[in-house]
Amino acid sequence: MSQKDLFGEIVPAASGPARHVIRVVFNQALMGTFDYGVPDELWPVSAGQRVRAPFGRGNKPTEGFCVEVLEDVQDPAARGYRLKFITDVIDDKSLFTKKMLELGIWISDYYFAPPGQTLAGMIPAAVKKGAGIARIAVIYLLCRPDEVEHILSGKLKRAKKQQAVFKYLAEKAAFSIDKGIEKPELKKNTDCSDSVLKSLQTQGLIGLGAASVLKSLPVIPDNYTVKSAAKIELNRHQAAALKYLENELSQSSFGVSLLHGVTDSGKTEVYIRAIDMAIKLGRQSIILLPEIALTSQTIQRFSERFEKIAVLHSGLTAAQRNAEWQRIVNDEADVIIGARSAVFAPARRLGLIVVDEEHEASYKQDMVPRYHGRDVAIKRCQLENAHCLLGSATPSLESMYNARYRRHYKLLELPERVMELPMPAVECVDMSAGEDAFSDEILSRKLRDAIRIALRRKEQVILLLNRRGYSAFVFCPDCKEAIRCKNCDVALTYHKRGGQKAGSGALGNYRVGGYAICHHCGSKALVPTACPLCGKRLVLKGAGSQRLEEELKEKFTGAKVARIDSDSMESADYYKLLDAFSSGDIDILAGTQMLAKGLHFPNVTLVGVLNSDAALAIPDFRSGERTFQILSQVAGRTGRGEKPGKVIIQTVKPKQAVIQLAIQGDYEGFVNRELVIRQQLSLPPYTRMAIVRLSDKSYQMLESEAQKLYQLFEDISARSGLKVNISKPVPSIITRLHSAYRLDIRLTSISGEYIRKLLRSVIYEKTYKQKVKIIYDIDPISML
DNA sequence: AGCACGCCGACT
DNA sequence: GTCGGCGTGCTC
């Protein structure tokens, strides 16, 4: 053992031989597990309970999860280290059901997420705190503003990093705990290490506190309600699907079915009947929905039919969320409805998980653990012998492929709209031809005419801009360059402020009346009037949703126009606006793709898609699939009442196959075409994929590390004969984010297990010493 | 992640 | 020589 033993370590808590040993994981970026003894007076401890244990050389009391009780306590001499003892047991009973714990370990293993962070992510903070609020380490200055200069040139004269941190805090006026900066934010923005902060702390220059952080998410106003539908009779397709599901549910064995139903084909009614069946069999159901679809009208649709419902979504207060969770723990809910993380609801009699809109990319969590809600739902069903019902009008190619070719999967089709409503007429306008090509207006002649007609009939219109980031950038027509974020290398988006007209005046050489905003890091910049490279005039280019709003107000005077997107929306306003639109107070609603989701407005008879091909320009193999999905969703937004609907799609590439297929509403055709392409190019769903993304502020360092890791992958792969295709390090689609460069190594293989074997050998065996930040994205859903 | 250890450069 | 910043490696 090391020399340190000569000086005698502080022995924490009880010592001596351990009669009980447990395996603990900490909520930190640590892949390993740690064994601890349990003092007799704290026994028993079971898997899933949180414990406090001395951790690290300083024996810092740290919270961790017990993941296992070790049956055979081995001989202390055989252990290569000295066993410490836990000091507290935090929970009086396990926070996890047995199956959930098993699921958590699987997620940690499958997605290469630290087990402690994975388990922590499965339990809402509100539950862990006991209806509290999320607390986060906050750092603030312990001096007065007028002392800053003196300290910078005095005590910190020689400490460059500390100066930077100090200056940053002073700039942000963090002179008290309530003005403090959150530690992760501080570290990111000043690029400092822990030791820098530690030094400042020991010098008494900064204070460390904890602050409560509230999540700012939409809160559903109580009065946002819609009348319920009358008693519904199933059509023959629904009846057939249900018959299959009833049989599956009564067998209590694992299975997955993919319910492919066009908009208004009655998928929800099938869900409801299946859930009803599960309840009759004494089992619970979880319904997963994308966060944005989780509106009170959706919730109401279910709450009208079931009594014992628990709701888990981000709009709830901490106390509400904890209360809902406890209801599930106490077995007071038959139906649990929620967003992605509701897949972790502590149901003990689970029989069915419904994943609605299963193709939605938002099911993939973009933080550790980077799990896919749909895939975790399927895994959980497998562990619990439950049935997983996936539903979509445009299923993902993965699910479609599985439904066609894999065991345990079944495809259920609902090809007809329930009320026998006709599919809306979809028209395409070629923006690259005729007068529209030479017009700088966003709306084509055809669309303008259609809007006018709809307004005359007192009907409503929805206009959709595909991606906000791809419009209204500041462009130099001479250099052919857009102004980019200095940190993220992303084209900045121009946003107007107040009601001033852009370019109406000049303040120095900056444009008055607006900012350019980076949609990745949120930083704002004043916009120069002249190009910094050539000095010539810069122009605003593209169709931002703000510009659209202006054009609409100009062209359709008298019509009430509203814009909906995450820039103009302050959480609850979103629902107010939808409410106003629903009650007919708004004639034209313009916005980004969030409008394309499952909202129901009977009086909408016209939907216009303004830049339908914008997404196709993104270099991501799924961009065609996304475009098809969005256009199909849009087509479903209209003609839902008695009046016939119409969709007008503007595009510069009218011949593009994806757009053609979307216009024809030909999902089959799209899938068959796309699957051939994917197979030819060895892309998912024919292969599995993982992205290893390295990032660092120094490009040189990043490049050499990426090269090193790439070589290591190649070596291991060759040595162990793993059939994994390893790409050379390539710049990520977003080449730079938060002033860090990003390189991707893309791994593809016929089997995901080959990829994981390769990654395991790098992550767990110490074959590579990590010098830059690395994230592992297993089954990536977006290449960004 | 968070902490202590210890190398090395800056300054007595 | 000594102080202390900051990179490195370990944590049951």
Side-chain angles (χ1 to χ4, degrees), chain A residues 76-118:
Chain A
R79 223 189 300 273
Y81 50 84
R82 186 191 326 199
L83 195 70
K84 293 183 191 173
F85 283 72
I86 63 165
T87 55
D88 295 285
V89 179
I90 297 167
D91 307 300
D92 38 336
K93 56 183 183 187
S94 173
L95 289 170
F96 298 83
T97 67
K98 225 177 158 188
K99 299 285 183 187
M100 280 167 68
L101 201 57
E102 214 179 311
L103 184 67
I105 301 302
W106 177 82
I107 291 171
S108 164
D109 183 62
Y110 185 87
Y111 291 101
F112 293 95
Q117 290 185 339
T118 304

Side-chain angles (χ1 to χ4, degrees), chain A residues 560-573:
Chain A
K560 277 154 287 174
V561 176
R563 181 163 62 94
I564 202 161
D565 61 32
S566 47
D567 300 314
S568 66
M569 286 300 93
E570 290 288 334
S571 52
D573 293 351

Side-chain angles (χ1 to χ4, degrees), chain A residues 314-419:
Chain A
S314 52
L316 305 178
T317 65
Q320 287 174 319
R321 201 187 302 211
N322 193 17
E324 294 292 293
W325 185 273
Q326 295 310 328
R327 282 182 55 215
I328 304 167
V329 168
N330 299 329
D331 202 5
E332 290 163 19
D334 285 333
V335 183
I336 298 137
I337 180 164
R340 182 177 54 217
S341 61
V343 73
F344 301 127
R348 290 175 182 280
R349 308 175 279 114
L350 193 64
L352 174 69
I353 303 183
V354 175
V355 184
D356 192 27
E357 308 291 347
E358 68 84 29
H359 64 278
E360 274 290 309
S362 61
Y363 277 119
K364 186 83 194 280
Q365 172 149 300
D366 58 4
M367 291 181 311
V368 173
R370 297 189 151 69
Y371 69 93
H372 197 299
R374 173 196 60 210
D375 299 345
V376 169
I378 293 169
K379 183 64 193 183
R380 182 161 185 192
C381 284
Q382 192 202 344
L383 292 173
E384 311 234 17
N385 283 321
H387 190 82
C388 193
L389 174 56
L390 313 176
S392 175
T394 52
S396 63
L397 286 168
E398 279 78 2
S399 293
M400 208 57 200
Y401 173 90
N402 289 338
R404 282 188 185 175
Y405 305 117
R406 281 184 67 183
R407 210 157 59 91
H408 296 300
Y409 280 78
K410 168 82 177 175
L411 180 63
L412 305 170
E413 299 264 15
L414 300 181
E416 289 166 13
R417 290 185 120 179
V418 275
M419 316 284 280

Side-chain angles (χ1 to χ4, degrees), chain A residues 10 17 103 165 174 180 192 260 268 292 299 414 438 516 682 780:
Chain A
I10 305 148
L103 184 67
V165 172
C192 68
H260 171 217
T268 309
I292 41 165
I299 294 168
L414 300 181
F438 300 97
S682 293

Side-chain angles (χ1 to χ4, degrees), chain A residues 140-157 159 162-176 200 205-206:
Chain A
Y140 58 101
L141 293 172
L142 287 173
C143 67
R144 292 191 310 269
D146 56 273
E147 295 168 321
V148 169
E149 275 310 312
H150 179 242
I151 291 167
L152 279 172
S153 54
K155 266 188 185 170
L156 295 180
K157 194 173 57 183
Q162 292 183 38
Q163 276 185 355
V165 172
F166 203 82
K167 270 188 193 156
Y168 182 83
L169 289 167
E171 251 168 53
K172 298 269 169 178
F175 291 102
S176 60
L200 284 165
L205 293 172
I206 58 169

Side-chain angles (χ1 to χ4, degrees), chain A residues 589-766:
Chain A
L589 190 57
T592 45
Q593 48 185 305
M594 62 200 287
L595 271 181
K597 311 302 173 186
L599 302 165
H600 184 110
F601 301 110
N603 198 36
V604 172
T605 57
L606 175 63
V607 174
V609 187
L610 303 178
N611 52 348
S612 59
D613 32 35
L616 287 173
I618 307 163
D620 180 330
F621 72 85
R622 264 185 267 255
S623 66
E625 186 179 352
R626 294 251 163 73
T627 302
F628 184 87
Q629 285 164 352
I630 287 175
L631 294 183
S632 304
Q633 293 271 358
V634 168
R637 282 320 92 206
T638 176
R640 300 189 80 171
E642 299 87 55
K643 298 163 193 165
K646 187 175 189 177
V647 177
I648 293 180
I649 289 171
Q650 296 186 168
T651 174
V652 289
K653 296 174 196 160
K655 301 254 164 64
Q656 232 285 342
V658 169
I659 288 175
Q660 280 298 320
L661 290 162
I663 288 168
Q664 291 151 21
D666 185 0
Y667 177 78
E668 278 304 299
F670 168 73
V671 167
N672 292 334
R673 178 180 182 276
E674 188 73 13
L675 281 178
V676 169
I677 297 171
R678 301 281 181 92
Q679 185 167 29
Q680 282 169 350
L681 300 178
S682 293
L683 288 168
Y686 289 91
T687 54
R688 306 308 288 270
M689 190 179 267
I691 290 179
V692 179
R693 175 162 297 150
L694 300 92
S695 63
D696 199 81
K697 289 184 181 175
S698 152
Y699 188 77
Q700 211 179 9
M701 169 72 111
L702 178 66
E703 202 176 28
S704 78
E705 286 305 301
Q707 194 54 42
K708 226 187 282 177
L709 190 56
Y710 165 75
Q711 201 52 56
L712 186 61
F713 282 144
E714 285 284 14
D715 292 348
I716 296 168
S717 167
R719 194 169 348 109
S720 38
L722 294 171
K723 294 184 204 105
V724 180
N725 189 291
I726 305 158
S727 83
K728 291 224 164 58
V730 292
S732 308
I733 293 179
I734 295 168
T735 52
R736 204 164 160 234
L737 189 60
H738 297 129
S739 47
Y741 295 94
R742 295 140 49 99
L743 288 174
D744 293 351
I745 298 174
R746 208 169 286 182
L747 309 174
T748 12
S749 176
I750 287 294
S751 157
E753 194 45 43
Y754 291 147
I755 295 177
R756 282 194 298 283
K757 260 190 195 137
L758 182 59
L759 290 176
R760 255 183 240 124
S761 66
V762 170
I763 296 169
Y764 297 111
E765 294 152 32
K766 285 160 190 157

Side-chain angles (χ1 to χ4, degrees), chain A residues 414-580:
Chain A
L414 300 181
E416 289 166 13
R417 290 185 120 179
V418 275
M419 316 284 280
E420 283 168 8
L421 294 167
M423 289 305 281
V426 182
E427 285 179 51
C428 183
V429 178
D430 183 357
M431 296 299 280
S432 68
E435 62 173 295
D436 295 322
F438 300 97
S439 161
D440 59 354
E441 276 163 11
I442 302 168
L443 302 167
S444 63
R445 156 61 68 79
K446 197 171 194 172
L447 185 52
R448 288 202 304 267
D449 291 347
I451 295 173
R452 216 160 271 132
I453 291 165
L455 292 177
R456 207 173 299 142
R457 291 188 190 147
K458 306 268 179 250
E459 293 165 355
Q460 290 170 297
V461 178
I462 287 178
L463 296 177
L464 196 102
L465 273 165
N466 222 344
R467 276 180 79 102
R468 61 173 187 175
Y470 282 77
S471 49
F473 44 91
V474 185
F475 189 76
C476 174
D478 244 54
C479 306
K480 309 256 181 260
E481 285 289 343
I483 301 242
R484 288 168 174 273
C485 175
K486 62 180 192 298
N487 296 322
C488 306
D489 210 27
V490 167
L492 295 176
T493 307
Y494 187 75
H495 285 255
K496 266 176 85 171
R497 183 192 53 182
Q500 293 167 280
K501 213 156 166 82
S504 63
L507 175 73
N509 42 359
Y510 289 107
R511 195 177 274 274
V512 174
Y515 292 102
I517 298 173
C518 170
H519 281 297
H520 282 286
C521 71
S523 73
K524 285 182 189 170
L526 282 170
V527 181
T529 50
C531 173
L533 292 175
C534 70
K536 295 206 184 98
R537 209 173 103 78
L538 287 169
V539 298
L540 298 180
K541 191 149 168 116
S545 48
Q546 279 184 335
R547 217 189 105 190
L548 171 62
E549 194 181 4
E550 275 170 36
E551 196 172 314
L552 287 170
K553 283 181 175 161
E554 207 175 288
K555 289 262 152 55
F556 305 102
T557 43
K560 277 154 287 174
V561 176
R563 181 163 62 94
I564 202 161
D565 61 32
S566 47
D567 300 314
S568 66
M569 286 300 93
E570 290 288 334
S571 52
D573 293 351
Y574 172 69
Y575 293 98
K576 271 193 211 148
L577 206 62
L578 290 184
D579 220 0

